[in-house]
Amino acid sequence: IVRQMRSQASRAQFSGIQPSKVLYFGLAAIALLKDLLDFAGIGSLPGIGTVVTLCFSFLIWILMTVFDRSGGKSNKVMSRNLVLLFASLVEAIGFGLNFLPIETLTVIVLYTMARKAAKKEEQRLQKEEQARSLFNQRETYRMQVEVARRMQLEREEVENVESQNVADNDPMYKDKKVRLVA
């Protein structure tokens, strides 16, 4: 039951999966290839370099969007997309920056952001589950107290009925005056 509740809560915001190291290693390899093309001179040409940078950045974005299931809240995913967009535009438009491995560093930063988001979300889910567990323990204790109270009331009722039966069968209690004295 707890797993079902946890999975329902996590479906809404977080898949519970750390970012894939294989995926980000592949993305880093693609970014490194792009940075090597820039360094070799093909990507350094003003028009061609911009097109190459935008194509590789688009490929990285598509692969992240399709295969990255680490997720996080939508604003975290959006911030990762904006970081990629900003870094790609800076590298594509900024002439002379092509020789720096900006795309590779961007993928490393994106992986770091995804890991931090995953850890933060996992901690939030653990706290939520601890709170739910504490609530369930309190509810169980409350129910046990209620059951014990009801059993005590039933015992007292049975004792009252038994004492009433004794009083009804005893001839001394039949006299009203004796009852008042007793």
Side-chain angles (χ1 to χ4, degrees), residues 78-145:
M78 182 62 72
S79 66
R80 283 189 275 169
N81 290 336
L82 288 175
V83 166
L84 180 63
L85 177 68
F86 179 73
S88 299
L89 287 177
V90 165
E91 190 172 4
I93 295 172
F95 183 72
L97 294 175
N98 291 355
F99 294 108
L100 299 174
I102 294 175
E103 200 78 27
T104 306
L105 293 175
T106 302
V107 170
I108 293 170
V109 167
L110 292 174
Y111 177 69
T112 305
M113 289 174 67
R115 280 188 55 210
K116 285 182 181 179
K119 284 182 182 180
K120 188 174 183 179
E121 195 65 24
E122 189 66 33
Q123 288 173 350
R124 188 191 66 79
L125 287 174
Q126 285 176 352
K127 286 181 182 178
E128 186 178 290
E129 183 151 337
Q130 287 173 351
R132 194 176 302 124
S133 173
L134 183 61
F135 174 77
N136 288 340
Q137 288 174 355
R138 287 180 182 166
E139 192 64 25
T140 302
Y141 177 73
R142 189 190 64 75
M143 289 173 54
Q144 288 173 346
V145 167

